[in-house]
Amino acid sequence: MINYLLYVDPGSGSYLIQLIIAAILGALFYFKNLWWRIRSFFSKTKKDDNTRDGDGHE
């Protein structure tokens, strides 16, 4: 029987968790900004449409 002694230092563990959370939040922020850029790009092409009122709402 092989016993592995796995130990994560509490300081290193909390740093690792912080890195994972930061990576997830960074990815979410990146895709949110990408989504808004794509959305604004397509909304600019429809800006000349007469179905919208002065505020840009349909």
Side-chain angles (χ1 to χ4, degrees):
M1 181 173 172
I2 299 173
N3 289 330
Y4 293 104
L5 297 175
L6 300 176
Y7 174 73
V8 178
D9 183 41
S12 300
S14 65
Y15 183 68
L16 182 64
I17 291 172
Q18 183 181 3
L19 283 176
I20 292 170
I21 291 172
I24 291 170
L25 291 177
L28 288 174
F29 184 73
Y30 173 76
F31 286 115
K32 178 188 157 196
N33 282 339
L34 184 65
W35 170 251
W36 280 105
R37 285 184 185 189
I38 291 171
R39 188 174 172 184
S40 67
F41 175 76
F42 285 113
S43 67
K44 285 181 182 177
T45 58
K46 294 179 182 178
K47 197 170 190 177
D48 295 331
D49 191 4
N50 292 331
T51 58
R52 293 178 179 237
D53 60 0
D55 295 330
H57 298 108
E58 290 184 344

